[in-house]
Amino acid sequence: MDQPLNKRQRILTRKSALWNERSSWITHWREISDYQQPRAGRFVVTDRNRGDKRANHILDNTAVFGARTLAAGLMSGITSPARPWFRLEIKNKDLMESGPVKAWLHDSAVLLRAIFASSNTYRSLHTIYEELGLFGTGCSIVLPDFDNVIHHYPLTVGEYALATNSKGEVDTVCREFQLTVGQMVEQFGRNQCSQAVRNLFDRGAYDSWVDVVHMIEPRKQRDYTKRDARNMRFASCYLEPGKDNWDQFLSESGFNRFPALAPRWVVTGNDVYGTSPGMECLGDVKQLQHQQLRKGQAIDYQVNPPLQVPTKYKEASKARLPGGVFYVDSMGQSQGVRSAFEVQLNLQHLMLDIQDVRERIRSAYYADLFLMLANDNRSGITATEVAERHEEKLLMLGPVLERLHNELLSPLIDTAFDYAARAGILPEAPPELEGMELSVEFISVLAQAQRAVTTQGMDRLLGTVSQMAAAKPEVLDKIDFDQVVDEYGEAYGVSPKVIVPDDQVAAIRQQRAAALQAQQAAATAPQVAESAKTASEIDTGNLQDVMNGLMGYNTPSAQMIGQ
């Protein structure tokens, strides 16, 4: 009867299953690495710190620059360190208009962006974008850090394997890599290491390399009454894949939130790994390298062709170098030195085809979109044209952008927020936010381009209403201009501190109305006093006789009787 597997054996068994599931992708990834980015990818555990020449397949670097342009374009268009690219919100829009709530959400977002700037977040994001463009899948493990709140450990394709849950969300990362003996003792402690590692450490072999497996996966069995690291939702286990210390981990801990970021470019069906622009243009890249090789060979044949030479000139080979001279006797035409065969390649046609292939590669990497403004030398480009061309960029990248928001950026912000809250560095929240669920809204250049349609609709509406108001001013009552300002500010990603909240606007207007009323009262006070003086000087007796006469009575007043 088979013995049940212990936890360590189970992890190694699952690691083998994940490696087997991933195996069909390895050949494709290797080709992409060979032809487009030789330094990316680690397909053997010992494949590290190799400075040997690897770009043997690259004769034209169009794809290399295409992948680099895509990564830089995504970096500047989605997560630019130079400008705000997200903000925090709550679903209660009425509460969002509260001044203290707006201020807290703004200050918290500013703090998170400061955390990203001080840590290695942006460097890791750039690596992820490049891996996504080349291999369709990126991965980085985000762990808490005492100095910078968070720290990223970016991975490259080939050194990790993924698995998904029933919703198709990545919830498992298994990594196989190497650490030196010194690094292992520093990270895990001497007593947690195997006897072989302890022996190496005692002999001073600190730079010897040792294989390590790291598994992050949902914890199937845990005690829900406990809150320690070994009973959290996700298990994190380090182990040596050797056979000694078979029941011992280097480290066993856990996380309440999945600590890895594993975005995919495009996912087909139930696939775990994504497809990429690098895969789509791999055929064009190979064709381009082949054409450049043949072009070079054709030029060599034309410039330095193989020759048919009489045997008596066998020793005169050095004289064929530029400037060389050798003397021969007169001979017939058929006995002269001539090309072995003629090569007359039309390089113009070949160059046109090469240019066509290059454009296809650039288009696959969206380089034409990201560089369209940089390469446009025309003057007088209007803001409307710029906005429309950004919409074209968004049309091409819209689905990918949504996936990056869901699989990369939202989890990154949530993770940083949790660690910042645990560190106690978030600003004190107003009582109105108690029990409220926070959400993230992206306000990057590309994200705002998605909402450009909304602002264009409002622009057209306001323009039409303005024309109608010239004939019928009452139509302006149909427009809530305060809400229009809020909608524009939200669409343009304006800081909430720039737009005054509704409650403060109401108070300002109330004060303004009271001040206007007091001013009007002060202006009418002299007129009231003058009217009172005039009224006091009225001859009431004569006035009464006049009134009696108008009403048909002839009774004189007392004043007239006295006369």
Side-chain angles (χ1 to χ4, degrees), residues 185 187 338 517:
V185 172
Q187 182 172 350
R338 63 182 185 274
Q517 185 177 2

Side-chain angles (χ1 to χ4, degrees), residues 369 372-373 383-399 401 445-457 459-460:
L369 298 178
M372 63 183 176
L373 295 180
T384 302
E385 182 180 358
V386 172
E388 290 175 351
R389 299 181 77 180
H390 274 299
E391 280 190 47
E392 179 187 1
K393 183 187 301 184
L394 178 67
L395 179 65
M396 301 296 293
L397 288 173
L401 185 63
V445 172
L446 293 179
Q448 287 185 39
Q450 278 189 316
R451 292 190 290 272
V453 177
T454 303
T455 59
Q456 289 180 4
D459 289 340
R460 289 193 293 268

Side-chain angles (χ1 to χ4, degrees), residues 42 73 150 171 243 261 272 333 352 452 498 502 512 528 531:
R42 298 290 183 269
I150 61 174
D171 67 351
K243 293 186 178 181
L261 307 172
V272 176
Q333 181 68 26
L352 288 176
V498 175
D502 288 351
R512 185 184 297 126
V528 174
S531 300

Side-chain angles (χ1 to χ4, degrees), residues 279-383:
M279 296 178 181
E280 295 169 356
C281 70
L282 181 58
D284 290 323
V285 173
K286 288 184 175 181
Q287 178 183 351
L288 181 61
Q289 310 308 325
H290 179 74
Q291 287 178 319
Q292 292 287 17
L293 176 62
R294 291 293 179 256
K295 185 188 74 174
Q297 289 176 339
I299 292 174
D300 282 343
Y301 274 121
Q302 293 185 27
V303 175
N304 189 20
L307 302 177
Q308 292 181 353
V309 184
T311 55
K312 61 182 177 179
Y313 302 137
K314 185 177 181 180
E315 304 300 327
S317 59
K318 294 183 179 179
R320 292 185 55 248
L321 296 175
V325 178
F326 59 91
Y327 303 93
V328 299
D329 298 328
S330 299
M331 63 188 70
Q333 181 68 26
S334 61
Q335 296 181 355
V337 178
R338 63 182 185 274
S339 298
F341 51 88
E342 298 293 334
V343 176
Q344 298 294 333
L345 178 65
N346 191 326
L347 292 179
Q348 181 180 2
H349 293 170
L350 179 59
M351 289 303 299
L352 288 176
D353 192 56
I354 287 176
Q355 186 61 31
D356 179 60
V357 177
R358 283 174 171 170
E359 289 302 321
R360 294 204 302 266
I361 295 172
R362 295 190 185 104
S363 179
Y365 277 114
Y366 303 90
D368 52 339
L369 298 178
F370 285 116
L371 296 177
M372 63 183 176
L373 295 180
N375 293 335
D376 198 331
N377 297 321
R378 296 176 299 153
S379 60
I381 302 177
T382 64

Side-chain angles (χ1 to χ4, degrees), residues 411-423:
L412 168 62
I413 295 170
D414 292 343
T415 300
F417 187 91
D418 285 351
Y419 288 146
R422 187 183 305 176

Side-chain angles (χ1 to χ4, degrees), residues 111 114-115 118-120 142-153 416 419-425:
L111 174 64
I115 291 173
S118 62
S119 65
N120 66 333
V142 186
L143 300 181
D145 183 77
F146 179 80
D147 297 320
N148 299 314
V149 183
I150 61 174
H151 187 83
H152 292 252
Y153 296 86
Y419 288 146
R422 187 183 305 176
I425 59 176

Side-chain angles (χ1 to χ4, degrees), residues 17 27 60 95 98 101 134-135 159 197 232 237 264 281 313 316 321 323 325 390 406 440 466 483 493-494 514:
T27 302
D60 188 302
L95 190 57
S98 169
V101 171
L134 288 166
F135 307 107
E159 68 174 338
V197 172
M232 292 181 176
C237 300
R264 284 81 55 86
C281 70
Y313 302 137
L321 296 175
V325 178
H390 274 299
N406 295 332
V440 178
S466 298
Q483 188 62 32
V494 176

